[in-house]
Amino acid sequence: MRGAAQYVKAKTTIVPEVGVVLGSGLGAFADSLIHSVRIPYSEIPGMPISTAIGHAGELVIGTLGADGHGTVEVAVMSGRFHLYEGYSAREVTAGIRLFRGLGLKRVVLTNAAGGIGVNLSQGSLVLISDHINLQAANPLVGPNDPALGPRFPDMTEAYSYRLRSLAHEAAEELGIPLPEGIYAAVLGPNYETPAEIRYLRAIGADLVGMSTVPEVIAANHMGMEVLGISCVTNLAAGLSGDKLDQQEVLETGHRISGTLLKLLSALLPRVP
Ligand code: HPA
């Protein structure tokens, strides 16, 4: 990813301090940045091309801070890569490797997720406290590059306590409820069966989604501090009586993205 980082650095004088990855339908945050530079993934050497619906496929570097919470320079991946698109686990983490190449040590990953936990409703934001990887894939498979991180990285605090307490602080100030939950990552692309959701609940999952975990593994491997925020775009299969539909997932994502934007605007200036 050295070529990619060099390419991006040549495009802007902004030195980002925090990386953000935006999930399905959550692109509004990137539009709120000022002095921003947008670089399509297709221009960046070594980046896969994003094909998922609801994902813009560009890196946006800019300044957050039009609303009085302080400013911070951020690099935002508007559009991420998923295993279900056919990319390898290594390919879906290209953006996280690029973030590290840009010198970032902190990353906030957002996603759309199905809600399994009893107290979660459509439209809730949930702070990810831990995850269960059911994707049968891992970006660290293959020869390890010791310059990036250890062969067997620790995952005891995969989601940083420090960043989680900053997120709770910001949410409390804004009056945004922010429960914590465990995210189960599945391969997709089909939504789960009701039996699978009962299984996920039994093993302790509160949320289910098709992304994020490979990026969290790669970021932890490189010693980055990670925060994960899920937007509950729907109740998981069999919990609401309705069938699941991507249009609804995207619409709910768009509806929550305003609240997510408020939370990130208050949180990110505290992160560096
Ligand atoms: N399951 C898996 N992934 C998802 C869901 C879901 O219900 N909603 C949004 N992403």
Side-chain angles (χ1 to χ4, degrees), residues 39-82:
I39 310 169
Y41 294 157
S42 55
E43 279 184 19
I44 303 175
M47 283 287 268
I49 311 286
S50 175
T51 68
I53 299 165
H55 289 254
E58 58 188 10
L59 177 71
V60 186
I61 297 184
T63 305
L64 175 72
D67 66 351
H69 287 290
T71 63
V72 61
E73 317 283 17
V74 295
V76 182
M77 283 186 59
S78 185
R80 61 145 58 85
F81 306 106
H82 304 81

Tab-separated table of all heavy atoms in Angstrom, residues 39-82:
chain	number	residue	atom	x	y	z
A	39	ILE	N	-11.072	11.485	-3.784
A	39	ILE	CA	-10.257	10.678	-4.693
A	39	ILE	C	-10.984	9.357	-4.952
A	39	ILE	O	-11.128	8.538	-4.033
A	39	ILE	CB	-8.863	10.406	-4.083
A	39	ILE	CG1	-8.226	11.710	-3.594
A	39	ILE	CG2	-7.963	9.700	-5.096
A	39	ILE	CD1	-6.979	11.520	-2.755
A	40	PRO	N	-11.465	9.146	-6.189
A	40	PRO	CA	-12.140	7.870	-6.479
A	40	PRO	C	-11.172	6.706	-6.277
A	40	PRO	O	-9.985	6.821	-6.611
A	40	PRO	CB	-12.526	7.992	-7.964
A	40	PRO	CG	-12.430	9.441	-8.292
A	40	PRO	CD	-11.422	10.038	-7.351
A	41	TYR	N	-11.697	5.593	-5.717
A	41	TYR	CA	-10.835	4.424	-5.495
A	41	TYR	C	-10.176	3.978	-6.800
A	41	TYR	O	-9.052	3.481	-6.787
A	41	TYR	CB	-11.655	3.239	-4.944
A	41	TYR	CG	-12.227	3.451	-3.560
A	41	TYR	CD1	-13.330	2.716	-3.139
A	41	TYR	CD2	-11.667	4.363	-2.678
A	41	TYR	CE1	-13.863	2.886	-1.876
A	41	TYR	CE2	-12.207	4.537	-1.409
A	41	TYR	CZ	-13.305	3.800	-1.020
A	41	TYR	OH	-13.834	3.977	0.234
A	42	SER	N	-10.896	4.180	-7.920
A	42	SER	CA	-10.368	3.703	-9.205
A	42	SER	C	-9.047	4.382	-9.562
A	42	SER	O	-8.273	3.866	-10.352
A	42	SER	CB	-11.398	3.930	-10.313
A	42	SER	OG	-11.772	5.292	-10.345
A	43	GLU	N	-8.778	5.565	-8.970
A	43	GLU	CA	-7.517	6.274	-9.267
A	43	GLU	C	-6.375	5.807	-8.372
A	43	GLU	O	-5.222	6.109	-8.629
A	43	GLU	CB	-7.689	7.770	-8.945
A	43	GLU	CG	-8.363	8.575	-9.988
A	43	GLU	CD	-8.392	10.057	-9.591
A	43	GLU	OE1	-7.596	10.493	-8.721
A	43	GLU	OE2	-9.235	10.766	-10.160
A	44	ILE	N	-6.707	5.155	-7.253
A	44	ILE	CA	-5.684	4.865	-6.240
A	44	ILE	C	-5.022	3.523	-6.548
A	44	ILE	O	-5.713	2.503	-6.638
A	44	ILE	CB	-6.304	4.849	-4.818
A	44	ILE	CG1	-7.004	6.180	-4.530
A	44	ILE	CG2	-5.243	4.552	-3.759
A	44	ILE	CD1	-7.766	6.237	-3.209
A	45	PRO	N	-3.699	3.510	-6.721
A	45	PRO	CA	-3.033	2.258	-7.069
A	45	PRO	C	-3.293	1.172	-6.023
A	45	PRO	O	-3.197	1.428	-4.826
A	45	PRO	CB	-1.532	2.622	-7.070
A	45	PRO	CG	-1.468	4.106	-7.072
A	45	PRO	CD	-2.761	4.631	-6.550
A	46	GLY	N	-3.696	-0.006	-6.489
A	46	GLY	CA	-3.858	-1.151	-5.584
A	46	GLY	C	-5.201	-1.243	-4.890
A	46	GLY	O	-5.450	-2.200	-4.164
A	47	MET	N	-6.106	-0.244	-5.104
A	47	MET	CA	-7.417	-0.330	-4.445
A	47	MET	C	-8.373	-1.105	-5.333
A	47	MET	O	-8.473	-0.830	-6.532
A	47	MET	CB	-8.001	1.076	-4.225
A	47	MET	CG	-7.391	1.818	-3.081
A	47	MET	SD	-7.889	1.184	-1.482
A	47	MET	CE	-9.306	2.206	-1.167
A	48	PRO	N	-9.147	-2.046	-4.738
A	48	PRO	CA	-10.206	-2.690	-5.519
A	48	PRO	C	-11.283	-1.654	-5.883
A	48	PRO	O	-11.324	-0.572	-5.299
A	48	PRO	CB	-10.772	-3.730	-4.557
A	48	PRO	CG	-9.828	-3.809	-3.410
A	48	PRO	CD	-9.076	-2.522	-3.360
A	49	ILE	N	-12.145	-1.984	-6.802
A	49	ILE	CA	-13.247	-1.086	-7.179
A	49	ILE	C	-14.490	-1.512	-6.388
A	49	ILE	O	-14.830	-2.682	-6.352
A	49	ILE	CB	-13.585	-1.216	-8.693
A	49	ILE	CG1	-12.316	-1.124	-9.539
A	49	ILE	CG2	-14.632	-0.195	-9.104
A	49	ILE	CD1	-11.713	0.230	-9.670
A	50	SER	N	-15.166	-0.528	-5.760
A	50	SER	CA	-16.346	-0.835	-4.946
A	50	SER	C	-17.562	-1.054	-5.843
A	50	SER	O	-17.867	-0.231	-6.699
A	50	SER	CB	-16.594	0.347	-4.001
A	50	SER	OG	-17.770	0.164	-3.289
A	51	THR	N	-18.257	-2.171	-5.658
A	51	THR	CA	-19.427	-2.450	-6.503
A	51	THR	C	-20.724	-2.432	-5.706
A	51	THR	O	-21.794	-2.518	-6.281
A	51	THR	CB	-19.326	-3.853	-7.152
A	51	THR	OG1	-19.437	-4.845	-6.125
A	51	THR	CG2	-18.019	-4.034	-7.892
A	52	ALA	N	-20.652	-2.346	-4.384
A	52	ALA	CA	-21.863	-2.495	-3.571
A	52	ALA	C	-22.785	-1.291	-3.743
A	52	ALA	O	-22.335	-0.147	-3.828
A	52	ALA	CB	-21.501	-2.660	-2.102
A	53	ILE	N	-24.084	-1.545	-3.788
A	53	ILE	CA	-25.075	-0.470	-3.906
A	53	ILE	C	-25.072	0.326	-2.599
A	53	ILE	O	-24.958	-0.241	-1.517
A	53	ILE	CB	-26.467	-1.073	-4.172
A	53	ILE	CG1	-26.433	-1.848	-5.488
A	53	ILE	CG2	-27.544	0.009	-4.209
A	53	ILE	CD1	-27.610	-2.784	-5.675
A	54	GLY	N	-25.173	1.658	-2.716
A	54	GLY	CA	-25.181	2.489	-1.503
A	54	GLY	C	-23.784	2.866	-1.043
A	54	GLY	O	-23.616	3.476	0.006
A	55	HIS	N	-22.781	2.501	-1.841
A	55	HIS	CA	-21.386	2.811	-1.487
A	55	HIS	C	-20.763	3.640	-2.606
A	55	HIS	O	-20.730	3.205	-3.753
A	55	HIS	CB	-20.586	1.525	-1.296
A	55	HIS	CG	-20.948	0.781	-0.057
A	55	HIS	ND1	-20.135	0.744	1.052
A	55	HIS	CD2	-22.050	0.089	0.271
A	55	HIS	CE1	-20.733	0.033	1.991
A	55	HIS	NE2	-21.888	-0.386	1.541
A	56	ALA	N	-20.270	4.836	-2.251
A	56	ALA	CA	-19.804	5.755	-3.289
A	56	ALA	C	-18.490	5.321	-3.928
A	56	ALA	O	-18.274	5.524	-5.118
A	56	ALA	CB	-19.657	7.150	-2.698
A	57	GLY	N	-17.587	4.753	-3.166
A	57	GLY	CA	-16.318	4.343	-3.750
A	57	GLY	C	-15.314	5.454	-3.914
A	57	GLY	O	-14.703	5.599	-4.968
A	58	GLU	N	-15.162	6.261	-2.875
A	58	GLU	CA	-14.119	7.286	-2.936
A	58	GLU	C	-13.555	7.555	-1.541
A	58	GLU	O	-14.215	7.349	-0.532
A	58	GLU	CB	-14.641	8.581	-3.571
A	58	GLU	CG	-15.830	9.171	-2.865
A	58	GLU	CD	-16.472	10.340	-3.606
A	58	GLU	OE1	-16.124	10.587	-4.773
A	58	GLU	OE2	-17.310	11.011	-2.992
A	59	LEU	N	-12.303	8.010	-1.578
A	59	LEU	CA	-11.653	8.439	-0.346
A	59	LEU	C	-11.831	9.949	-0.258
A	59	LEU	O	-11.549	10.655	-1.231
A	59	LEU	CB	-10.164	8.079	-0.414
A	59	LEU	CG	-9.320	8.512	0.769
A	59	LEU	CD1	-9.642	7.673	2.003
A	59	LEU	CD2	-7.830	8.379	0.437
A	60	VAL	N	-12.330	10.417	0.876
A	60	VAL	CA	-12.534	11.857	1.051
A	60	VAL	C	-11.658	12.303	2.216
A	60	VAL	O	-11.765	11.754	3.322
A	60	VAL	CB	-14.017	12.191	1.341
A	60	VAL	CG1	-14.235	13.693	1.364
A	60	VAL	CG2	-14.936	11.547	0.306
A	61	ILE	N	-10.799	13.273	1.951
A	61	ILE	CA	-9.940	13.797	3.022
A	61	ILE	C	-10.327	15.250	3.245
A	61	ILE	O	-10.437	16.021	2.278
A	61	ILE	CB	-8.454	13.668	2.641
A	61	ILE	CG1	-8.118	12.179	2.478
A	61	ILE	CG2	-7.553	14.320	3.696
A	61	ILE	CD1	-6.667	11.908	2.200
A	62	GLY	N	-10.582	15.607	4.484
A	62	GLY	CA	-11.024	16.971	4.737
A	62	GLY	C	-11.058	17.285	6.214
A	62	GLY	O	-10.627	16.488	7.052
A	63	THR	N	-11.611	18.457	6.514
A	63	THR	CA	-11.671	18.935	7.900
A	63	THR	C	-13.103	18.830	8.407
A	63	THR	O	-14.028	19.287	7.750
A	63	THR	CB	-11.216	20.409	7.964
A	63	THR	OG1	-9.926	20.496	7.375
A	63	THR	CG2	-11.154	20.917	9.389
A	64	LEU	N	-13.235	18.231	9.577
A	64	LEU	CA	-14.535	18.168	10.231
A	64	LEU	C	-14.559	19.281	11.255
A	64	LEU	O	-13.562	19.508	11.931
A	64	LEU	CB	-14.675	16.817	10.938
A	64	LEU	CG	-15.925	16.612	11.766
A	64	LEU	CD1	-17.132	16.431	10.860
A	64	LEU	CD2	-15.762	15.401	12.664
A	65	GLY	N	-15.676	19.967	11.383
A	65	GLY	CA	-15.681	20.942	12.466
A	65	GLY	C	-16.425	22.203	12.158
A	65	GLY	O	-16.087	23.276	12.633
A	66	ALA	N	-17.484	22.110	11.348
A	66	ALA	CA	-18.261	23.304	11.053
A	66	ALA	C	-19.235	23.634	12.177
A	66	ALA	O	-19.830	24.684	12.190
A	66	ALA	CB	-19.009	23.098	9.742
A	67	ASP	N	-19.399	22.732	13.163
A	67	ASP	CA	-20.509	22.930	14.111
A	67	ASP	C	-20.092	23.194	15.557
A	67	ASP	O	-20.848	22.929	16.480
A	67	ASP	CB	-21.460	21.739	14.039
A	67	ASP	CG	-20.783	20.478	14.531
A	67	ASP	OD1	-19.563	20.527	14.749
A	67	ASP	OD2	-21.481	19.465	14.696
A	68	GLY	N	-18.882	23.706	15.742
A	68	GLY	CA	-18.524	24.212	17.064
A	68	GLY	C	-17.986	23.200	18.058
A	68	GLY	O	-17.763	23.529	19.209
A	69	HIS	N	-17.790	21.947	17.657
A	69	HIS	CA	-17.236	20.949	18.574
A	69	HIS	C	-15.709	20.879	18.510
A	69	HIS	O	-15.110	20.005	19.102
A	69	HIS	CB	-17.794	19.559	18.262
A	69	HIS	CG	-19.220	19.375	18.667
A	69	HIS	ND1	-19.627	19.301	19.977
A	69	HIS	CD2	-20.343	19.246	17.923
A	69	HIS	CE1	-20.941	19.132	20.025
A	69	HIS	NE2	-21.391	19.102	18.802
A	70	GLY	N	-15.068	21.765	17.759
A	70	GLY	CA	-13.630	21.652	17.530
A	70	GLY	C	-13.408	21.001	16.176
A	70	GLY	O	-14.331	20.448	15.585
A	71	THR	N	-12.177	21.120	15.688
A	71	THR	CA	-11.921	20.585	14.352
A	71	THR	C	-10.972	19.398	14.422
A	71	THR	O	-10.225	19.231	15.378
A	71	THR	CB	-11.300	21.652	13.426
A	71	THR	OG1	-10.040	22.038	13.967
A	71	THR	CG2	-12.198	22.856	13.278
A	72	VAL	N	-11.023	18.597	13.380
A	72	VAL	CA	-10.102	17.482	13.257
A	72	VAL	C	-10.016	17.129	11.767
A	72	VAL	O	-10.993	17.261	11.034
A	72	VAL	CB	-10.577	16.271	14.111
A	72	VAL	CG1	-11.937	15.760	13.669
A	72	VAL	CG2	-9.559	15.151	14.120
A	73	GLU	N	-8.811	16.748	11.346
A	73	GLU	CA	-8.628	16.357	9.946
A	73	GLU	C	-8.914	14.866	9.837
A	73	GLU	O	-8.376	14.070	10.622
A	73	GLU	CB	-7.178	16.611	9.493
A	73	GLU	CG	-6.577	17.927	9.953
A	73	GLU	CD	-7.060	19.124	9.165
A	73	GLU	OE1	-8.101	19.020	8.473
A	73	GLU	OE2	-6.406	20.175	9.239
A	74	VAL	N	-9.746	14.501	8.887
A	74	VAL	CA	-10.126	13.089	8.773
A	74	VAL	C	-9.954	12.559	7.356
A	74	VAL	O	-9.999	13.314	6.381
A	74	VAL	CB	-11.600	12.865	9.224
A	74	VAL	CG1	-11.777	13.165	10.692
A	74	VAL	CG2	-12.565	13.696	8.398
A	75	ALA	N	-9.737	11.257	7.284
A	75	ALA	CA	-9.746	10.551	5.998
A	75	ALA	C	-10.926	9.596	6.040
A	75	ALA	O	-11.058	8.815	6.982
A	75	ALA	CB	-8.444	9.787	5.815
A	76	VAL	N	-11.801	9.696	5.051
A	76	VAL	CA	-13.040	8.926	5.080
A	76	VAL	C	-13.131	8.009	3.869
A	76	VAL	O	-13.009	8.465	2.732
A	76	VAL	CB	-14.264	9.882	5.052
A	76	VAL	CG1	-15.561	9.092	5.123
A	76	VAL	CG2	-14.183	10.873	6.196
A	77	MET	N	-13.332	6.733	4.130
A	77	MET	CA	-13.645	5.820	3.039
A	77	MET	C	-15.148	5.797	2.882
A	77	MET	O	-15.865	5.264	3.731
A	77	MET	CB	-13.155	4.407	3.350
A	77	MET	CG	-11.666	4.251	3.172
A	77	MET	SD	-11.187	2.520	3.372
A	77	MET	CE	-12.145	1.742	2.079
A	78	SER	N	-15.622	6.455	1.814
A	78	SER	CA	-17.048	6.471	1.546
A	78	SER	C	-17.309	5.332	0.575
A	78	SER	O	-17.139	5.467	-0.635
A	78	SER	CB	-17.435	7.827	0.953
A	78	SER	OG	-18.826	7.883	0.792
A	79	GLY	N	-17.681	4.205	1.137
A	79	GLY	CA	-17.767	2.977	0.340
A	79	GLY	C	-16.689	2.025	0.793
A	79	GLY	O	-15.527	2.396	0.861
A	80	ARG	N	-17.108	0.817	1.148
A	80	ARG	CA	-16.138	-0.174	1.591
A	80	ARG	C	-16.254	-1.408	0.718
A	80	ARG	O	-17.123	-1.513	-0.131
A	80	ARG	CB	-16.342	-0.522	3.064
A	80	ARG	CG	-17.683	-1.128	3.430
A	80	ARG	CD	-17.564	-2.166	4.531
A	80	ARG	NE	-16.971	-1.721	5.783
A	80	ARG	CZ	-17.623	-1.127	6.775
A	80	ARG	NH1	-18.905	-0.859	6.643
A	80	ARG	NH2	-17.014	-0.796	7.892
A	81	PHE	N	-15.344	-2.342	0.939
A	81	PHE	CA	-15.334	-3.589	0.187
A	81	PHE	C	-15.850	-4.707	1.083
A	81	PHE	O	-15.591	-4.708	2.285
A	81	PHE	CB	-13.909	-3.894	-0.289
A	81	PHE	CG	-13.315	-2.755	-1.057
A	81	PHE	CD1	-12.339	-1.944	-0.483
A	81	PHE	CD2	-13.759	-2.466	-2.329
A	81	PHE	CE1	-11.821	-0.862	-1.183
A	81	PHE	CE2	-13.247	-1.385	-3.033
A	81	PHE	CZ	-12.270	-0.580	-2.461
A	82	HIS	N	-16.587	-5.624	0.479
A	82	HIS	CA	-17.169	-6.731	1.240
A	82	HIS	C	-16.703	-8.057	0.667
A	82	HIS	O	-16.499	-8.180	-0.548
A	82	HIS	CB	-18.701	-6.694	1.150
A	82	HIS	CG	-19.323	-5.406	1.586
A	82	HIS	ND1	-19.392	-4.311	0.765
A	82	HIS	CD2	-19.888	-5.047	2.764
A	82	HIS	CE1	-19.982	-3.314	1.422
A	82	HIS	NE2	-20.290	-3.733	2.642
